[in-house]
Amino acid sequence: LIICGLVLSIFNARKQLQASNLVYQNARFIVNFLSNRIHNVDYIDDVSPAVETLLFYQLPDKRFSIKLDSNNLVYQETQDTGSGFPEQSTADPVNLNNNKIQVNNLVLTPISDSQGNVNQGVKIDFTLSVGGAGDTFGHIERTFSTFISVR
């Protein structure tokens, strides 16, 4: 009975550690991916209440957006072909999260500095979760918040 209890405890601890690792690996990937893109942005356009809320422009001809779609964090990039940018929804979507991870509560906030200079960066808040709420040892939910500056 003691050995069964010990084996069960080890199994549950392993399951919880795997879920936690999956959430944190996804968070690191998302923040690194977005940092690499946002650092090179020239202009941030607030288009809320549109689904994208913010459009990020890399001059001379790239524009991308980040949005939440069915618990997936979706990155879409369009290119100006000389006649303007196509609709953002026509760009190929790239899911930034693992298919086992759900993303919720995405909030993108453009930041200005104290002198009123706009487009200094963006504050990103999001929640990642894995597993069902009824799964005591396989369910992890963590909220992440970061600021990414524009160069």
Side-chain angles (χ1 to χ4, degrees):
L1 198 58
I2 292 172
I3 291 173
C4 286
L6 181 61
V7 169
L8 188 59
S9 293
I10 291 170
F11 175 74
N12 290 337
R14 182 174 177 258
K15 190 175 179 182
Q16 193 171 30
L17 182 61
Q18 285 175 332
S20 180
N21 283 341
L22 189 58
V23 166
Y24 283 105
Q25 286 171 355
N26 270 257
R28 278 191 297 276
F29 173 78
I30 289 168
V31 170
N32 284 334
F33 183 92
L34 295 178
S35 289
N36 289 334
R37 302 304 185 285
I38 293 173
H39 277 314
N40 297 313
V41 164
D42 294 298
Y43 181 72
I44 302 170
D45 188 17
D46 188 347
V47 293
S48 58
V51 176
E52 291 87 4
T53 59
L54 297 178
L55 294 176
F56 300 88
Y57 290 86
Q58 291 176 319
L59 299 177
D61 63 353
K62 285 187 183 179
R63 175 177 76 186
F64 67 87
S65 64
I66 305 153
K67 68 179 181 178
L68 198 54
D69 184 21
S70 301
N71 291 350
N72 288 311
L73 190 59
V74 177
Y75 171 87
Q76 290 180 291
E77 183 176 296
T78 57
Q79 197 123 7
D80 184 355
T81 57
S83 58
F85 287 100
E87 283 294 315
Q88 203 65 19
S89 60
T90 63
D92 291 331
V94 177
N95 286 350
L96 299 182
N97 55 299
N98 181 305
N99 62 355
K100 295 179 182 178
I101 296 289
Q102 292 185 347
V103 182
N104 296 299
N105 307 323
L106 174 67
V107 178
L108 302 171
T109 309
I111 303 294
S112 302
D113 66 13
S114 60
Q115 285 81 32
N117 298 318
V118 295
N119 297 323
Q120 298 303 303
V122 64
K123 183 175 183 257
I124 302 173
D125 299 294
F126 60 96
T127 301
L128 298 181
S129 62
V130 64
D135 186 358
T136 305
F137 300 104
H139 176 72
I140 301 280
E141 183 173 300
R142 297 288 184 263
T143 299
F144 299 92
S145 181
T146 188
F147 171 77
I148 301 173
S149 65
V150 174
R151 293 183 194 182

